[in-house]
Amino acid sequence: MKKTLSFLIILTVLCTVFVSSSSSIVAAAAKTPFSRTNIPAQLQVTTAAGLNVRSGPATYFTKVGVVYKGQIVDCIGKLGDWYIIHMNNDTVGVVSGKYVKPYYPPNSQPAPKPAPQNPAPTPAPAPEQPDGQISAEAQKILDLANAERAKVGAQPLKVDMKVMEVANLKAKDMVEKNYFSHTSPTYGSPFDMLKQFGVSYKYAGENLAGNTSAERAHNAWMNSEGHRKNILNPNYNYIGIGIADSPKYGKIYVQMFIGR
């Protein structure tokens, strides 16, 4: 049977702002100063409705996506009063500064710790997950996904421990190699990676997120058409969930879906 590969990336090459190779963006940048200093690492959308993401710093530029009220996005630069953002689906675009505000994750500035009166004992290492079990955070992501599937009549996803292993390796690889992409410099595409680890499938797909909690990652996926389709796809019946601590995003979340 022909494999259906749900590989969803919309990559708008706004990166040309940095290398001055896109004539339309460069023309705007010639009149609009570009800055990568004194900008927040993340932005929160404040508009009451969907906010169009453009390919340049004006409303006449091509629409490349939409972000929604309350959504958190990464900020990678500024063109005048417009911010350059990187969304969870790998799309890069520009939004008006009128409709976003700087976002700082809770507890991003930890409170100073008082000097201990006595040396603190060395904590015992965290116990490893027993075979066949998943972490509480991974279970949360699974429960959220299955709750959405139940609303549309799709069968619940089951955990495949081999796919769990692959998803966790992908999350760790993204942190260690400092990239955010469906294509790993170590393992290739998610489909190549699944094959390398002996996972058979008829259908496969992958969702990625950089966020501070399972709930926020899930909400970002559900606000993105491509990622939402992966979560609700009735052809998928198994899932693997990878989570890794990230100095840039807080955590990297990976969902790998397969259908057999």
Side-chain angles (χ1 to χ4, degrees):
M1 181 179 290
K2 182 178 180 181
K3 299 178 181 179
T4 302
L5 307 179
S6 300
F7 184 56
L8 299 160
I9 299 179
I10 306 173
L11 179 59
T12 303
V13 190
L14 191 65
C15 305
T16 51
V17 169
F18 304 117
V19 296
S20 300
S21 62
S22 170
S23 59
S24 61
I25 304 301
V26 171
K31 298 180 180 180
T32 309
F34 169 73
S35 174
R36 277 185 284 184
T37 59
N38 298 321
I39 59 170
Q42 292 183 306
L43 299 168
Q44 184 172 34
V45 181
T46 58
T47 182
L51 174 60
N52 290 333
V53 182
R54 302 284 179 179
S55 63
T59 55
Y60 56 77
F61 280 91
T62 304
K63 174 183 170 183
V64 298
V66 180
V67 289
Y68 299 91
K69 184 177 182 180
Q71 186 171 343
I72 310 301
V73 293
D74 290 328
C75 178
I76 58 178
K78 192 174 183 183
L79 283 168
D81 295 328
W82 293 67
Y83 286 101
I84 304 170
I85 64 169
H86 174 219
M87 294 182 288
N88 285 333
N89 63 353
D90 271 355
T91 301
V92 179
V94 182
V95 293
S96 172
K98 298 178 182 178
Y99 307 110
V100 294
K101 66 179 181 179
Y103 173 78
Y104 302 101
N107 301 322
S108 60
Q109 298 294 330
K113 298 180 181 179
Q117 298 299 317
N118 296 304
T122 303
E128 294 185 358
Q129 263 335 102
D131 289 343
Q133 295 187 22
I134 64 176
S135 70
E137 193 168 23
Q139 184 67 51
K140 181 67 174 178
I141 289 176
L142 176 62
D143 292 344
L144 289 168
N146 280 337
E148 298 292 348
R149 290 173 67 88
K151 295 175 184 178
V152 298
Q155 292 297 310
L157 295 165
K158 300 176 183 178
V159 170
D160 184 295
M161 295 310 296
K162 191 66 178 178
V163 183
M164 286 288 294
E165 176 188 349
V166 177
N168 273 300
L169 285 173
K170 177 63 177 289
K172 292 176 182 177
D173 187 60
M174 288 175 63
V175 173
E176 292 171 359
K177 300 293 171 43
N178 191 29
Y179 70 93
F180 192 97
S181 173
H182 291 289
T183 302
S184 161
T186 309
Y187 303 106
S189 74
F191 316 109
D192 295 333
M193 191 174 181
L194 288 166
K195 291 177 182 177
Q196 288 175 39
F197 286 89
V199 177
S200 61
Y201 59 87
K202 293 180 180 178
Y203 310 93
E206 179 182 73
N207 282 349
L208 305 176
N211 220 308
T212 55
S213 71
E215 290 84 355
R216 288 176 176 170
H218 173 78
N219 289 338
W221 282 329
M222 292 303 294
N223 283 327
S224 166
E225 181 180 2
H227 297 86
R228 183 172 63 252
K229 284 182 178 179
N230 268 349
I231 290 173
L232 302 180
N233 192 333
N235 290 324
Y236 298 145
N237 46 19
Y238 291 95
I239 190 173
I241 299 162
I243 305 171
D245 291 332
S246 165
K248 182 176 181 181
Y249 298 102
K251 290 187 179 182
I252 288 291
Y253 296 92
V254 177
Q255 289 179 318
M256 282 192 170
F257 307 91
I258 63 168
R260 292 192 176 118

